[in-house]
Amino acid sequence: MDKITAKHYIEYTKDGITDKFHEGDKVICRTADKEYTGTITCVGEFKENEEAEPVTVICLDTSKSVWSHSSEIIKFDDIEFMCKDFLADTDINSDISDEEAKKNTYIHMFTGMGYDKSKVEKTWNSLEKLMKQFDIPFEKAMGCMIYALKYDCGIEIPLKNICGIDVGLIEKSIPVYQKEMIKCLGMALAGGLVYLLADSLSREW
């Protein structure tokens, strides 16, 4: 097995957003099969054998503690989504039970990072409804929020890429579901009317 030839960084583009990833960056990385969270230890080119063409890879330290070491080598072409784990060193307290207190705490945290307060509040209000609707874990929701703020994009982009929730697709599907419901409801009502008519006729006879 050949060694990895180091490069300086890789660029990754998704939904019009391009980011550079260097050694030492803490990232969330997803392939078709699995999601990884860890620190990039190396970016480079890898050859499985002498005859194989080199492929770009990232090496991730996915260790959860100092007592348990784990790592992954991921082909760049296999990556479906990757972003920096902005909240890796942030203490996220999802145990705050009072919704207003939680909102104020995190709006203060995001404005403290330098983001515009009105944009933070608008993004929070949009995300709060979706968190309840789709039962999104609080930590992932906060990751989506900071992604939307950092890259100045709609919350639907990180929701799709980080949580796998395609809000646009769901919204397009709603009219179809409504039509089907109306059709089913109409058939049920028609069936009920036929039953009532038959029942009344049987009583007359």
Side-chain angles (χ1 to χ4, degrees):
M1 184 184 291
D2 286 12
K3 293 182 179 179
I4 294 173
T5 305
K7 297 171 72 176
H8 294 295
Y9 63 87
I10 54 171
E11 280 189 354
Y12 180 77
T13 301
K14 181 81 171 178
D15 294 317
I17 296 168
T18 300
D19 209 346
K20 291 182 179 180
F21 295 89
H22 299 78
E23 181 181 324
D25 285 345
K26 295 178 180 179
V27 299
I28 298 168
C29 178
R30 190 171 66 245
T31 64
D33 303 319
K34 194 173 178 182
E35 181 175 293
Y36 305 90
T37 302
T39 304
I40 297 176
T41 55
C42 179
V43 177
E45 290 185 342
F46 178 74
K47 289 175 65 177
E48 291 186 9
N49 53 59
E50 286 293 335
E51 291 75 31
E53 289 293 320
V55 292
T56 301
V57 298
I58 62 167
C59 303
L60 278 188
D61 179 359
T62 54
S63 305
K64 301 300 179 187
S65 72
V66 294
W67 307 109
S68 176
H69 180 74
S70 61
S71 62
E72 297 284 344
I73 297 176
I74 305 168
K75 292 179 182 178
F76 185 68
D77 288 342
D78 289 343
I79 296 172
E80 292 192 345
F81 176 72
M82 184 162 67
C83 71
K84 291 187 173 73
D85 189 358
F86 302 109
L87 301 178
D89 300 315
T90 305
D91 184 22
I92 296 293
N93 183 7
S94 57
D95 296 327
I96 304 173
S97 57
D98 183 81
E99 290 192 10
E100 193 63 28
K102 183 179 283 190
K103 176 180 177 179
N104 291 336
T105 298
Y106 286 97
I107 284 178
H108 179 73
M109 182 184 85
F110 290 125
T111 52
M113 292 178 180
Y115 298 111
D116 177 72
K117 186 176 181 181
S118 63
K119 184 168 178 61
V120 170
E121 288 180 341
K122 184 180 177 182
T123 307
W124 178 280
N125 291 334
S126 299
L127 182 60
E128 192 175 31
K129 296 172 188 173
L130 294 166
M131 281 172 64
K132 294 173 182 176
Q133 186 177 350
F134 297 107
D135 195 25
I136 303 168
F138 187 71
E139 291 79 3
K140 278 209 167 186
M142 293 303 96
C144 290
M145 181 158 178
I146 202 164
Y147 185 98
L149 292 169
K150 178 175 174 60
Y151 296 111
D152 194 25
C153 64
I155 196 69
E156 68 277 0
I157 290 177
L159 272 176
K160 179 182 176 182
N161 292 331
I162 296 175
C163 301
I165 298 170
D166 192 336
V167 178
L169 184 63
I170 291 167
E171 287 176 348
K172 287 178 184 175
S173 302
I174 287 173
V176 177
Y177 295 144
Q178 286 176 334
K179 285 179 183 176
E180 290 300 318
M181 286 175 68
I182 290 167
K183 190 191 296 180
C184 292
L185 186 61
M187 288 172 67
L189 286 170
L193 289 171
V194 169
Y195 172 80
L196 288 171
L197 181 61
D199 185 53
S200 65
L201 286 171
S202 64
R203 286 181 184 178
E204 288 178 11
W205 290 99

